[in-house]
Amino acid sequence: MTTTPELAELTENTTSPDGGPTVALVTGANKGIGRETVRRLLALGWTVWLGARDADRGDRAVRELTDAQPGADVRFVQLDVTSDASVTDAVARIEAESGRLDVLVNNAGIGGGFVGPREATAADFVAVYGVNLLGPVRVTHAFLPLLDRSERPRIVMVSSGMGSFGVTTDPDRIESSLHSPVYQSSKAALNMVTSQLAKSLDRYQVTAVDPGYTATDLNGHGGPQTVEEGAESVVLAATFPPEAPTGRFVDRHGPLPW
Protein backbone atom coordinates (compact mmCIF):
# COMPACT_ATOMS: atom_id res chain seq x y z
CA MET A 1 0.00 0.00 0.00
CA THR A 2 1.30 3.46 -0.90
CA THR A 3 1.19 6.06 1.84
CA THR A 4 2.02 9.71 1.31
CA PRO A 5 4.92 11.06 3.42
CA GLU A 6 2.55 13.59 5.02
CA LEU A 7 0.22 10.79 6.09
CA ALA A 8 3.08 8.71 7.48
CA GLU A 9 4.22 11.66 9.60
CA LEU A 10 0.79 11.96 11.17
CA THR A 11 0.53 8.44 12.55
CA GLU A 12 1.66 9.62 15.98
CA ASN A 13 -1.48 11.72 16.38
CA THR A 14 -3.03 9.27 18.85
CA THR A 15 -4.30 11.41 21.70
CA SER A 16 -6.47 14.43 22.19
CA PRO A 17 -4.99 17.56 23.81
CA ASP A 18 -6.41 16.51 27.20
CA GLY A 19 -4.32 13.34 27.11
CA GLY A 20 -7.15 10.91 26.46
CA PRO A 21 -7.70 9.01 23.23
CA THR A 22 -9.07 10.90 20.27
CA VAL A 23 -12.75 10.07 19.80
CA ALA A 24 -14.04 9.67 16.25
CA LEU A 25 -17.29 8.71 14.53
CA VAL A 26 -17.32 7.26 11.03
CA THR A 27 -20.70 6.91 9.32
CA GLY A 28 -21.47 4.18 6.81
CA ALA A 29 -18.58 2.21 8.28
CA ASN A 30 -19.56 -1.45 8.22
CA LYS A 31 -17.80 -1.96 4.86
CA GLY A 32 -15.60 -0.39 2.22
CA ILE A 33 -13.75 2.87 2.76
CA GLY A 34 -15.61 3.57 5.99
CA ARG A 35 -14.58 0.30 7.58
CA GLU A 36 -10.97 0.67 6.43
CA THR A 37 -10.94 4.18 7.89
CA VAL A 38 -12.10 2.78 11.22
CA ARG A 39 -9.38 0.14 11.11
CA ARG A 40 -6.68 2.71 10.41
CA LEU A 41 -7.84 5.08 13.16
CA LEU A 42 -8.01 2.23 15.65
CA ALA A 43 -4.38 1.45 14.81
CA LEU A 44 -3.55 4.96 16.03
CA GLY A 45 -5.03 4.15 19.42
CA TRP A 46 -8.22 6.15 18.93
CA THR A 47 -11.66 5.39 20.28
CA VAL A 48 -13.75 4.93 17.14
CA TRP A 49 -17.53 4.75 16.87
CA LEU A 50 -18.52 2.66 13.87
CA GLY A 51 -21.79 4.02 12.57
CA ALA A 52 -24.00 1.86 10.37
CA ARG A 53 -27.68 1.64 9.53
CA ASP A 54 -27.86 -2.17 9.77
CA ALA A 55 -27.26 -3.40 13.32
CA ASP A 56 -26.28 -6.94 12.37
CA ARG A 57 -23.71 -5.79 9.84
CA GLY A 58 -22.38 -3.14 12.20
CA ASP A 59 -22.00 -5.56 15.08
CA ARG A 60 -20.27 -8.05 12.79
CA ALA A 61 -17.82 -5.42 11.60
CA VAL A 62 -16.99 -4.47 15.19
CA ARG A 63 -16.36 -8.10 16.13
CA GLU A 64 -14.11 -8.65 13.14
CA LEU A 65 -12.13 -5.48 13.79
CA THR A 66 -11.74 -6.37 17.45
CA ASP A 67 -10.58 -9.89 16.57
CA ALA A 68 -7.98 -8.43 14.23
CA GLN A 69 -6.86 -5.75 16.70
CA PRO A 70 -7.26 -7.08 20.26
CA GLY A 71 -7.76 -4.25 22.72
CA ALA A 72 -8.94 -1.79 20.07
CA ASP A 73 -11.66 0.52 21.36
CA VAL A 74 -14.24 0.25 18.58
CA ARG A 75 -17.93 0.68 19.39
CA PHE A 76 -20.96 0.21 17.18
CA VAL A 77 -23.66 2.84 17.07
CA GLN A 78 -26.74 2.37 14.92
CA LEU A 79 -27.06 5.40 12.70
CA ASP A 80 -29.26 6.02 9.67
CA VAL A 81 -28.15 9.36 8.21
CA THR A 82 -31.58 9.89 6.62
CA SER A 83 -33.42 9.73 9.98
CA ASP A 84 -33.56 12.57 12.48
CA ALA A 85 -34.56 10.16 15.24
CA SER A 86 -31.70 7.76 14.50
CA VAL A 87 -29.13 10.55 14.48
CA THR A 88 -30.52 12.01 17.72
CA ASP A 89 -30.25 8.60 19.39
CA ALA A 90 -26.66 8.25 18.18
CA VAL A 91 -25.74 11.64 19.64
CA ALA A 92 -27.22 10.62 22.99
CA ARG A 93 -25.32 7.33 23.02
CA ILE A 94 -21.96 8.88 22.18
CA GLU A 95 -22.48 11.71 24.64
CA ALA A 96 -23.31 9.24 27.43
CA GLU A 97 -20.25 7.06 26.81
CA SER A 98 -17.62 9.43 25.42
CA GLY A 99 -18.76 12.89 26.49
CA ARG A 100 -17.43 14.59 23.38
CA LEU A 101 -16.47 13.99 19.76
CA ASP A 102 -13.13 15.05 18.27
CA VAL A 103 -13.48 13.86 14.68
CA LEU A 104 -16.61 13.33 12.58
CA VAL A 105 -16.18 11.47 9.31
CA ASN A 106 -19.25 11.78 7.11
CA ASN A 107 -18.63 8.75 4.92
CA ALA A 108 -22.08 7.25 4.28
CA GLY A 109 -23.06 7.57 0.63
CA ILE A 110 -24.87 5.89 -2.24
CA GLY A 111 -24.33 5.86 -6.00
CA GLY A 112 -27.93 5.88 -7.09
CA GLY A 113 -27.28 4.18 -10.41
CA PHE A 114 -26.09 5.74 -13.66
CA VAL A 115 -28.64 8.08 -15.20
CA GLY A 116 -27.66 10.21 -18.18
CA PRO A 117 -28.34 13.95 -18.33
CA ARG A 118 -31.17 13.57 -20.89
CA GLU A 119 -32.88 10.83 -18.91
CA ALA A 120 -32.49 12.25 -15.38
CA THR A 121 -35.66 13.47 -13.68
CA ALA A 122 -36.20 15.13 -10.32
CA ALA A 123 -37.15 11.77 -8.81
CA ASP A 124 -33.68 10.38 -9.57
CA PHE A 125 -32.08 12.96 -7.31
CA VAL A 126 -34.18 12.54 -4.18
CA ALA A 127 -32.66 9.42 -2.60
CA VAL A 128 -29.09 10.28 -3.59
CA TYR A 129 -29.31 13.80 -2.20
CA GLY A 130 -31.00 12.43 0.90
CA VAL A 131 -27.92 10.36 1.76
CA ASN A 132 -24.99 12.14 0.09
CA LEU A 133 -25.91 15.75 0.91
CA LEU A 134 -28.66 15.93 3.52
CA GLY A 135 -27.17 13.03 5.48
CA PRO A 136 -23.90 14.87 6.24
CA VAL A 137 -25.84 18.08 6.89
CA ARG A 138 -28.12 16.28 9.36
CA VAL A 139 -25.32 14.43 11.12
CA THR A 140 -23.00 17.43 11.32
CA HIS A 141 -25.67 19.71 12.73
CA ALA A 142 -26.65 17.16 15.36
CA PHE A 143 -23.08 16.48 16.50
CA LEU A 144 -21.84 20.08 16.63
CA PRO A 145 -22.53 20.37 20.39
CA LEU A 146 -20.30 17.34 21.06
CA LEU A 147 -17.65 18.56 18.62
CA ASP A 148 -17.69 21.96 20.34
CA ARG A 149 -16.42 20.20 23.48
CA SER A 150 -13.28 19.05 21.68
CA GLU A 151 -10.05 21.01 21.88
CA ARG A 152 -9.46 20.22 18.18
CA PRO A 153 -12.74 19.50 16.40
CA ARG A 154 -12.44 18.09 12.89
CA ILE A 155 -15.05 17.29 10.25
CA VAL A 156 -14.22 15.18 7.21
CA MET A 157 -16.66 15.06 4.31
CA VAL A 158 -16.08 12.09 2.03
CA SER A 159 -16.77 13.65 -1.34
CA SER A 160 -15.57 12.66 -4.82
CA GLY A 161 -13.54 13.97 -7.71
CA MET A 162 -16.79 13.65 -9.65
CA GLY A 163 -18.10 16.55 -7.57
CA SER A 164 -15.25 18.83 -8.68
CA PHE A 165 -15.76 21.21 -11.59
CA GLY A 166 -12.01 21.29 -12.11
CA VAL A 167 -11.59 17.52 -12.15
CA THR A 168 -14.62 16.72 -14.29
CA THR A 169 -13.55 19.21 -16.97
CA ASP A 170 -10.01 17.82 -17.18
CA PRO A 171 -9.85 15.47 -20.21
CA ASP A 172 -6.97 13.59 -18.62
CA ARG A 173 -9.14 12.50 -15.69
CA ILE A 174 -11.47 9.51 -15.93
CA GLU A 175 -14.13 11.53 -14.11
CA SER A 176 -14.53 13.77 -17.16
CA SER A 177 -15.87 10.83 -19.20
CA LEU A 178 -18.69 9.94 -16.77
CA HIS A 179 -21.76 11.98 -17.67
CA SER A 180 -24.41 11.55 -14.99
CA PRO A 181 -25.72 14.57 -13.12
CA VAL A 182 -27.18 12.90 -10.03
CA TYR A 183 -24.25 11.56 -8.00
CA GLN A 184 -21.87 14.21 -9.29
CA SER A 185 -24.08 17.12 -8.32
CA SER A 186 -24.73 15.66 -4.86
CA LYS A 187 -21.00 15.70 -4.21
CA ALA A 188 -20.57 19.17 -5.72
CA ALA A 189 -23.22 20.40 -3.30
CA LEU A 190 -21.45 18.65 -0.44
CA ASN A 191 -18.25 20.47 -1.38
CA MET A 192 -20.03 23.80 -1.09
CA VAL A 193 -21.44 22.84 2.31
CA THR A 194 -17.90 21.93 3.38
CA SER A 195 -16.58 25.30 2.24
CA GLN A 196 -19.28 27.23 4.06
CA LEU A 197 -18.84 25.25 7.29
CA ALA A 198 -15.11 25.85 7.18
CA LYS A 199 -15.68 29.60 6.91
CA SER A 200 -18.10 29.75 9.82
CA LEU A 201 -16.81 27.24 12.39
CA ASP A 202 -14.03 28.76 14.47
CA ARG A 203 -11.38 26.33 15.80
CA TYR A 204 -12.56 23.61 13.42
CA GLN A 205 -10.75 21.88 10.59
CA VAL A 206 -13.33 21.06 7.93
CA THR A 207 -12.11 19.14 4.91
CA ALA A 208 -13.64 17.50 1.85
CA VAL A 209 -11.78 14.48 0.50
CA ASP A 210 -11.73 12.54 -2.74
CA PRO A 211 -10.92 8.87 -2.09
CA GLY A 212 -10.39 8.33 -5.82
CA TYR A 213 -11.98 5.71 -8.04
CA THR A 214 -11.95 2.90 -5.49
CA ALA A 215 -13.25 -0.66 -5.81
CA THR A 216 -16.37 -0.58 -3.62
CA ASP A 217 -20.03 -1.54 -3.80
CA LEU A 218 -20.77 1.85 -5.39
CA ASN A 219 -19.13 0.77 -8.66
CA GLY A 220 -19.47 -2.99 -8.47
CA HIS A 221 -15.90 -3.22 -7.18
CA GLY A 222 -14.65 -2.03 -10.54
CA GLY A 223 -12.45 0.85 -9.44
CA PRO A 224 -8.68 0.61 -10.00
CA GLN A 225 -7.80 1.64 -6.44
CA THR A 226 -7.91 -0.64 -3.42
CA VAL A 227 -10.01 0.20 -0.39
CA GLU A 228 -6.77 0.74 1.52
CA GLU A 229 -5.71 3.38 -1.00
CA GLY A 230 -9.16 4.94 -1.00
CA ALA A 231 -9.13 5.40 2.78
CA GLU A 232 -5.81 7.24 2.79
CA SER A 233 -7.27 10.66 2.02
CA VAL A 234 -9.88 10.21 4.75
CA VAL A 235 -7.30 9.26 7.36
CA LEU A 236 -5.07 12.10 6.19
CA ALA A 237 -7.80 14.68 6.77
CA ALA A 238 -8.80 13.14 10.12
CA THR A 239 -5.22 13.44 11.36
CA PHE A 240 -4.19 16.83 9.99
CA PRO A 241 -1.90 18.67 12.43
CA PRO A 242 -3.30 21.73 14.24
CA GLU A 243 -1.54 24.15 11.89
CA ALA A 244 -3.16 22.69 8.77
CA PRO A 245 -5.62 25.09 7.12
CA THR A 246 -9.33 24.46 7.11
CA GLY A 247 -11.61 24.50 4.08
CA ARG A 248 -9.64 22.33 1.65
CA PHE A 249 -10.56 19.67 -0.89
CA VAL A 250 -7.84 17.00 -1.05
CA ASP A 251 -7.03 13.52 -2.25
CA ARG A 252 -4.21 11.34 -0.97
CA HIS A 253 -1.71 13.21 -3.16
CA GLY A 254 -2.63 16.76 -2.16
CA PRO A 255 -5.10 19.61 -2.81
CA LEU A 256 -7.72 19.40 -5.56
CA PRO A 257 -9.66 22.10 -7.41
CA TRP A 258 -13.19 22.66 -6.18
Side-chain angles (χ1 to χ4, degrees):
M1 179 179 64
T2 301
T3 302
T4 63
E6 185 177 5
L7 180 58
E9 292 171 2
L10 295 173
T11 57
E12 296 182 358
N13 181 15
T14 60
T15 61
S16 67
D18 66 4
T22 299
V23 180
L25 165 65
V26 183
T27 68
N30 62 286
K31 61 182 178 179
I33 291 172
R35 175 170 165 156
E36 176 61 16
T37 297
V38 171
R39 187 189 71 80
R40 295 277 291 275
L41 297 181
L42 289 172
L44 299 180
W46 291 19
T47 293
V48 185
W49 289 89
L50 186 155
R53 182 179 56 182
D54 187 290
D56 290 338
R57 293 177 180 177
D59 284 332
R60 185 183 312 117
V62 166
R63 289 195 303 271
E64 291 171 354
L65 287 164
T66 302
D67 289 344
Q69 301 182 62
D73 189 3
V74 55
R75 312 179 191 187
F76 170 65
V77 60
Q78 190 165 17
L79 200 162
D80 179 351
V81 302
T82 68
S83 166
D84 288 331
S86 176
V87 174
T88 297
D89 288 346
V91 171
R93 170 91 185 280
I94 293 174
E95 180 177 26
E97 295 191 25
S98 295
R100 73 172 193 281
L101 188 63
D102 298 303
V103 180
L104 169 62
V105 179
N106 283 302
N107 169 73
I110 61 174
F114 187 92
V115 182
R118 287 182 63 89
E119 295 76 30
T121 67
D124 294 310
F125 289 76
V126 174
V128 176
Y129 271 56
V131 177
N132 294 358
L133 175 63
L134 301 182
V137 169
R138 176 179 288 106
V139 172
T140 299
H141 177 76
F143 275 97
L144 282 177
L146 292 189
L147 287 162
D148 285 340
R149 298 178 189 176
S150 174
E151 293 295 323
R152 285 194 53 222
R154 280 150 281 169
I155 299 172
V156 181
M157 302 291 200
V158 179
S159 184
S160 170
M162 289 194 287
S164 162
F165 288 91
V167 170
T168 57
T169 56
D170 181 349
D172 293 328
R173 294 286 299 249
I174 188 173
E175 292 90 345
S176 68
S177 66
L178 303 173
H179 305 153
S180 180
V182 180
Y183 178 82
Q184 283 89 324
S185 64
S186 74
K187 293 300 188 177
L190 181 63
N191 285 352
M192 179 56 76
V193 169
T194 303
S195 175
Q196 296 304 303
L197 285 171
K199 291 177 181 180
S200 62
L201 294 176
D202 294 334
R203 301 191 305 110
Y204 279 67
Q205 286 176 334
V206 188
T207 310
V209 301
D210 171 24
Y213 193 21
T214 303
T216 67
D217 287 353
L218 288 183
N219 53 45
H221 297 273
Q225 285 193 160
T226 65
V227 169
E228 290 80 8
E229 290 170 325
E232 286 191 10
S233 62
V234 187
V235 177
L236 177 66
T239 55
F240 275 147
E243 63 273 17
T246 188
R248 292 191 292 172
F249 183 31
V250 303
D251 65 9
R252 64 193 178 101
H253 303 294
L256 291 174
W258 292 100

